[in-house]
């Protein structure tokens, strides 16, 4: 398969369609993903322009590709454009079009991965290819990495590269998903830059009771009844809001009147204000300023005539920057209250939140470049609630942001719905903007001609 185009818009569109059709669905199993299929496509795109390519394969089929344009000045910084090639599963019945058809209809490409994040991976690849093909000689090094397994904690992709193949991916600056959807505000167009992400504390809570006969339940110690109360307490627990620097800067950049922003910047008033907002906005704002606890799995009971003595719950907790595992344990115990002696809390995964500084040469580059595409726009920092591969690079000391660029036709609300949802799609204009933006960012940050 070879894609050769003079027109970057046609090239990126074609590449995105191929990546969608490869259906690199990651269900969390080690044998899913099959990212080798998309590595082959990307290799066919990149190789003819003479790029150095390396492929890493920690498990059969779980391939990640790394391409480099080596800089001429060893003291200049390295920038990595970091895309993933895997996608989450679909419920095909709920889609209006084939989720893996990659159809182009009226200037819109449909399919799983169209916004998460095959659109960006395709545009990063095309930008890198075009820079190489024109013989660009940067001072700093440009790396393009298309990694496997982002959708299942990055174990066979970014985490593997960061831990085992550091020379291949060592970077001062990293750009990955997501951001850059133009948001209208009284102060003009704002483009979000994801400077940090929340952490994950996934835990199992075992609730214990005493077994007995279901025919005589009077004053028994039923673990399921207690678990129901534990779930209720966790669901209604209200951790105190944390008004962090990113949140302050985001809100103050939106140009809203003071009376609207003041309660959102006050930890004692924000919860009441969230109650008055549309639920979609409130949910996002709440996640940006609070630890969240969501009890999502319960296993308990074995036989209809037996009072159960154990029930297991699993709770998805998302942590804020600066919070430790001990902080979260304390919070869970506080939520459970006087049922504490009947529960055992065991963390299954703790991946702390990560943040990059809001002042950096990369921030300045994104501000200069975005202004060329959206005149008078301003970049605003945001924290994302979910996890991305950026965290592995932040831990290695890189400044990592989530960015991209979308057209005016693309609405932030739609993004929220399509992300891991149904009818995922992206317009061709957004693909063009992202491709041109990555090229401009690489040149601005790494120099050279
Ligand atoms: Zn993604």
């Amino acid at each position: 398969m070879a894609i050769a185009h003079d027109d970057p818009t046609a090239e990126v569109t074609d590449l995105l369609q191929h990546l969608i059709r490869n259906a690199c669905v990651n269900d969390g199993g080690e044998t899913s993903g099959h990212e080798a299929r998309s590595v082959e496509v990307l290799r066919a795109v990149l190789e003819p322009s003479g790029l150095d390519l390396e492929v890493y394969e920690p498990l059969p089929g779980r391939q990640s590709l790394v391409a480099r344009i080596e800089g001429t000045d060893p003291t200049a910084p390295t920038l990595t454009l970091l895309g993933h090639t895997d996608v989450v599963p679909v419920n095909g019945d709920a889609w209006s079009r084939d989720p893996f058809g990659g159809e182009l209809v009226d200037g819109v490409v449909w399919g799983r991965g169209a916004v998460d994040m095959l659109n960006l991976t395709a545009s990063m690849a095309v930008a890198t290819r075009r820079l190489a093909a024109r013989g660009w000689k940067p001072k700093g090094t440009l790396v393009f990495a298309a990694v496997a397994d982002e959708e299942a904690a990055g174990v066979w992709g970014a985490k593997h590269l960061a831990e085992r193949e550091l020379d291949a991916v060592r970077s001062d600056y990293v750009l990955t998903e997501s951001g850059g959807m133009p948001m209208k505000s009284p102060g003009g167009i704002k483009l979000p830059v994801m400077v940090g992400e929340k952490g994950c504390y996934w835990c199992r809570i075992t609730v214990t009771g005493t077994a007995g006969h279901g025919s005589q339940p009077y004053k028994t110690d039923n673990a399921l009844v207690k678990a129901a109360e534990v779930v209720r307490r966790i669901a209604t627990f209200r951790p105190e809001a944390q008004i962090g620097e990113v949140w302050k800067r985001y809100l103050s950049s939106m140009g809203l009147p003071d009376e609207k922003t003041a309660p959102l910047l006050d930890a004692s008033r924000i919860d009441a204000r969230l109650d008055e907002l549309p639920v979609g906005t409130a949910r996002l704002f709440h996640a940006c300023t609070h630890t969240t606890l969501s009890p999502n799995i319960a296993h308990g009971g074995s036989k209809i005539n037996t009072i159960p003595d154990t029930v297991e719950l699993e709770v998805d907790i998302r942590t804020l920057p600066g919070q430790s595992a001990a902080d979260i344990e304390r919070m869970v115990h506080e939520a459970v209250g006087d049922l504490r002696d009947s529960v055992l809390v065991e963390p299954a995964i703790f991946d702390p939140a990560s943040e990059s500084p809001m002042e950096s040469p990369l921030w300045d580059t994104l501000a200069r470049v975005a202004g060329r595409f959206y005149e008078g726009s301003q970049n605003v920092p945001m924290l994302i609630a979910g996890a991305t591969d950026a965290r592995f690079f932040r831990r290695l000391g890189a400044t990592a942001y989530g960015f991209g660029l979308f057209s005016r036709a693309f609405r932030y609300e739609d993004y929220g719905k399509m992300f891991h949802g149904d009818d995922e799609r992206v317009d061709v204009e957004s693909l063009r903007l992202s491709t041109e933006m990555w090229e401009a960012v690489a040149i601005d940050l790494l120099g050279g001609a």
Side-chain angles (χ1 to χ4, degrees), residues 83-88 113 115-121 150-151 176-178 387-389 415 419-420 424:
H84 65 80
T85 52
D86 61 323
V87 296
V88 292
V115 299
D116 177 19
M117 63 174 289
L118 303 182
N119 58 325
L120 300 179
T121 307
E150 192 275 344
E151 298 292 358
T176 186
E177 63 186 332
S178 60
T388 74
D389 281 335
Y415 183 78
F419 198 86
H420 293 198
E424 195 177 339

Side-chain angles (χ1 to χ4, degrees), residues 47 200 283 325 328 364 380 402:
E47 213 153 44
C200 262
R283 198 171 282 153
I328 303 305
D364 297 341
V380 295

Side-chain angles (χ1 to χ4, degrees), residues 241-254:
Q242 275 189 25
I243 307 300
E245 281 310 307
V246 174
W247 177 245
K248 277 188 212 160
R249 181 107 162 246
Y250 166 75
L251 263 194
S252 61
S253 308
M254 296 304 280

Side-chain angles (χ1 to χ4, degrees), residues 13 80 114 122 129 149 151 155 161 182 192 206 280 308 340 381 425:
T13 303
T80 293
R129 187 203 68 72
D149 204 28
E151 298 292 358
V155 177
L161 293 178
T206 307
R340 191 169 315 179
R425 60 201 186 278

